[in-house]
Amino acid sequence: MAINCELAPQIHGSIAILGGSTKAERLEAPTTVRLLDDTLVDQIAAGEVIERPANLVKELLENALDAGAAEITVSVEDGGRGQVRVRDDGCGMSREDAALSIERHATSKIASFGDLERVSTLGFRGEALPSIASVSRMTITTRPKSDLEGTRLVVEGGALRSVEPAGCPPGTTVEVADLFYNVPARKKFLRARQTETSRIFEVCLRVALSRPGLRLTVTSDGRRAREYLPARSLAERARSIFRDAPLHEIHAEREDVVLDAALAPAELARPGARHLHLLVNGRPIRDRALARAIAFSYGDGLPPGHYPRGVVSLRLPAGEVDVNAHPQKTEIRFRRGARLPDLVTRMLASRLPSASGAGAYWDARIGSAGPTIGAESIARSTTPTAAVGVAQPAAEYEPRPSNGIRFVAQLKNRLLVCETLDELVLIDPRRADALNRNSRMRRAAEAGDGARQHLLFPDRVELDQALDATLERHGGLLQSLGFDISLLGERAYVIRAVPAPVANANAAALLEGALDALRERPKDAREAALSALAETAATGNEEPLTDEDARRLVATLPPTAREREPCVVATMRLPGPAPDQEDG
């Protein structure tokens, strides 16, 4: 498009504002595009890769594993803010390679775009060491097994201070001190020492699961905190970690996918997927679709929002996985898309002793029609035949309760068939019970009198470091909801009272479930705690309800469809005049 140069605004160190005058006739703005210096670029990259000390430990552990280490020691001080040291017995680096390793995008793991599509190592971008060095004081001491002398590099704030010979054992030791010392704005966002330490422990646990044969020792402030001895298999490693849970070992192969798993039974499931560890080609990852697929393989054995404890490892051809999808490489993409979660469900469902099978899940809940219920299937379901397993109501007609929804029958002894003025509604009784308990706790909390039920025999619970730190932050909230918790010893507590609406559940399970949810959703703390407590205590799918119990449960539901939504499985518009009008 041609531009009339005479009409074009003149820009000299400013940008002309067209379309009328403003208070500022011209907006001052720089007009020079410049290249950022390498140190600033590295600090920006560090913000994506190194958010906290746990990310730093993860990157150094990945480097050690890629170097073939069989034994790694991780030492942290002050939650990783004071110092992090990772020592391995891997292949080590020569003087030349060590000097190159702190340069951006210097890597021994890929050389072409084709290599990027078939990455088999944990690291590959060449960003970790220069990013770490730019925001800390870092020392690398390394020696290849074939050399008699090692090398020591000292880097401060991204600037190389010295390179000198060093006497050291084969392998590499990376010491990182004063993390974020030159980026105080980032340092102030770090959490308490205990919280940062627990995140480092979690990283080490995931690495230990991903490499059963690895010996990994973790020390914190001079004390040995964790030690993972070499194991012969994934299941053996998992049993050493989930000591209190009986794990079912699974091996399956299908369509170039090899699955190994060690999973706990459904009754030990927890709210949220924190205790379900996923590995793909030896890489710890987070993937909601895979986690849901694993939970789905248990059929209707898991309450909504609950996931099994344990570990699932998948091995696929390298070309099937895109690991270059996230700065921290914790999320990946699968070339086969949604087909993989479905495949995982089927591989697990046929081997889990407590699972009814993925294909049978909806059949067991609402019949062969599946989750989409049409008018014809509803018509069939409401006929008095034994084939569809519908329990008929005791009376032909009952007045609709004040909340506008009336119980009609039970379907497959698992769902409640209800009706409103113009809809047929299928209700999940367990979700309805959870909704009712949630509402009762919410009302009590809002009234400022968190009703509590004192336990005849107080319960004792030991928390891991992450949950202990969460309890320290949210103890006041839990007390306001009805908990009475006292400290017994190091991370050991006694529970003397629980919120009254959930007093039917195990006290330790209630507390751990609430803390898991609070840890995952700290910004929405009260909602997270209420939901977790209600889901842990909810009952309703274990055995058929009596008609009286079903009516009583339906009567507790909120009056509006929007409020009832969490427990509604399906709805269908009723044709013709409303039932009340017909009854006259």
Side-chain angles (χ1 to χ4, degrees):
M1 182 178 70
I3 298 178
N4 186 332
C5 294
E6 294 181 0
L7 297 178
Q10 300 297 312
I11 303 178
H12 295 289
S14 62
I15 299 175
I17 299 179
L18 305 179
S21 60
T22 63
K23 290 183 179 179
E25 292 294 331
R26 294 183 300 178
L27 177 65
E28 295 296 329
T31 59
T32 303
V33 177
R34 63 175 62 85
L35 288 173
L36 301 178
D37 65 77
D38 290 343
T39 300
L40 182 55
V41 169
D42 286 338
Q43 289 177 345
I44 293 172
E48 297 178 345
V49 179
I50 311 297
E51 293 180 348
R52 55 185 0 104
N55 303 127
L56 158 65
V57 172
K58 171 183 172 293
E59 295 293 338
L60 296 181
L61 283 172
E62 288 182 351
N63 281 349
L65 293 173
D66 287 341
E71 185 172 339
I72 303 175
T73 301
V74 176
S75 305
V76 299
E77 294 179 9
D78 191 23
R81 291 175 295 188
Q83 186 182 71
V84 171
R85 181 190 300 111
V86 176
R87 179 173 57 82
D88 68 66
D89 63 350
C91 63
M93 293 183 286
S94 66
R95 181 186 180 95
E96 293 75 17
D97 284 349
L100 272 176
S101 69
I102 61 172
E103 300 292 336
R104 295 187 67 241
H105 305 307
T107 179
S108 61
K109 298 161 188 177
I110 60 173
S112 66
F113 182 74
D115 295 336
L116 187 60
E117 292 185 313
R118 300 182 298 274
V119 171
S120 59
T121 54
L122 295 174
F124 54 88
R125 296 188 184 122
E127 288 183 328
L129 289 180
S131 296
I132 295 167
S134 69
V135 291
S136 68
R137 296 182 172 92
M138 184 176 75
T139 302
I140 302 175
T141 307
T142 183
R143 180 193 134 199
K145 294 178 181 179
S146 58
D147 290 359
L148 297 177
E149 185 179 68
T151 303
R152 179 176 290 114
L153 283 78
V154 178
V155 188
E156 292 187 8
L160 180 62
R161 298 302 185 194
S162 66
V163 182
E164 57 188 17
C168 59
T172 300
T173 300
V174 180
E175 299 179 25
V176 179
D178 300 330
L179 184 63
F180 300 139
Y181 81 97
N182 55 349
V183 194
R186 190 170 298 156
K187 189 172 185 176
K188 71 180 182 181
F189 284 102
L190 295 179
R191 299 293 182 89
R193 176 189 60 80
Q194 196 171 14
T195 302
E196 298 296 345
T197 302
S198 69
R199 291 179 184 272
I200 291 171
F201 289 166
E202 286 185 18
V203 167
C204 294
L205 183 148
R206 289 195 292 268
V207 167
L209 280 171
S210 72
R211 295 293 192 278
L214 175 71
R215 182 185 185 114
L216 178 59
T217 304
V218 187
T219 68
S220 175
D221 295 323
R223 296 174 56 188
R224 179 172 296 184
R226 302 284 189 279
E227 184 169 24
Y228 302 97
L229 300 178
R232 290 170 294 183
S233 66
L234 176 65
E236 183 179 321
R237 173 73 92 195
R239 289 190 181 100
S240 72
I241 292 173
F242 299 98
R243 295 175 183 173
D244 60 336
L247 300 179
H248 184 69
E249 185 175 356
I250 297 172
H251 175 81
E253 298 183 23
R254 190 170 176 178
E255 296 182 21
D256 293 331
V257 177
V258 179
L259 180 149
D260 287 286
L263 293 169
E267 54 267 25
L268 296 180
R270 301 282 186 86
R274 176 173 169 258
H275 297 280
L276 176 61
H277 299 274
L278 306 178
L279 309 172
V280 174
N281 291 348
R283 181 188 302 276
I285 67 159
R286 294 192 302 261
D287 191 287
R288 291 183 180 180
L290 273 182
R292 285 195 297 266
I294 294 164
F296 197 68
S297 68
Y298 279 74
D300 56 357
L302 293 184
H306 284 59
Y307 294 83
R309 300 174 66 190
V311 56
V312 175
S313 171
L314 300 176
R315 293 210 169 268
L316 298 79
E320 289 282 318
V321 182
D322 178 10
V323 299
N324 193 28
H326 188 273
Q328 297 170 9
K329 306 184 289 293
T330 56
E331 298 175 10
I332 61 178
R333 286 192 290 256
F334 299 101
R335 307 223 185 273
R336 61 182 74 194
R339 290 188 294 119
L340 182 64
D342 178 66
L343 183 63
V344 169
T345 295
R346 295 179 187 278
M347 294 169 78
L348 287 173
S350 61
R351 292 166 175 83
L352 281 168
S354 60
S356 60
Y361 176 64
W362 278 106
D363 288 348
R365 289 174 68 86
I366 54 178
S368 59
T372 304
I373 305 219
E376 184 180 353
S377 63
I378 289 292
R380 287 200 304 269
S381 297
T382 54
T383 59
T385 63
V388 292
V390 180
Q392 295 301 304
E396 293 185 2
Y397 178 79
E398 297 175 359
R400 186 173 289 106
S402 59
N403 64 354
I405 183 168
R406 179 174 63 201
F407 167 70
V408 176
Q410 285 191 70
L411 179 61
K412 286 283 186 181
N413 291 335
R414 295 175 185 273
L415 293 183
L416 306 183
V417 182
C418 305
E419 66 171 0
T420 64
L421 191 65
D422 54 2
E423 283 186 328
L424 203 62
V425 185
L426 294 185
I427 299 292
D428 184 317
R430 185 182 183 91
R431 296 182 189 176
D433 187 47
L435 187 62
N436 174 37
R437 294 175 191 273
N438 190 322
S439 299
R440 288 161 58 195
M441 285 188 292
R442 185 189 309 278
R443 289 195 297 269
E446 289 173 350
D449 59 347
R452 58 169 49 99
Q453 175 68 52
H454 288 276
L455 303 180
L456 182 60
F457 300 102
D459 204 351
R460 184 178 185 276
V461 62
E462 291 187 8
L463 304 177
D464 61 29
Q465 193 153 4
L467 295 187
D468 188 45
T470 305
L471 178 59
E472 186 178 339
R473 289 197 303 275
H474 297 287
L477 170 64
L478 294 175
Q479 184 177 6
S480 71
L481 294 179
F483 277 100
D484 182 358
I485 306 167
S486 302
L487 181 66
L488 278 179
E490 186 177 2
R491 300 204 299 272
Y493 297 86
V494 60
I495 307 171
R496 304 184 187 280
V498 297
V502 294
N504 62 301
N506 176 269
L510 287 170
L511 179 61
E512 290 179 338
L515 292 174
D516 272 333
L518 286 167
R519 187 178 178 280
E520 293 183 359
R521 296 167 53 192
K523 295 182 180 178
D524 193 17
R526 194 176 76 155
E527 290 300 318
L530 288 173
S531 297
L533 291 169
E535 289 174 0
T536 302
T539 61
N541 279 353
E542 292 80 5
E543 56 186 36
L545 298 176
T546 65
D547 286 345
E548 185 60 33
D549 286 341
R551 291 189 190 95
R552 190 180 297 113
L553 178 61
V554 171
T556 68
L557 295 176
T560 67
R562 183 179 182 86
E563 292 174 302
R564 289 194 298 266
E565 187 176 352
C567 63
V568 174
V569 175
T571 62
M572 192 197 76
R573 202 80 175 171
L574 290 173
D580 281 352
Q581 295 171 349
E582 288 183 346
D583 294 336

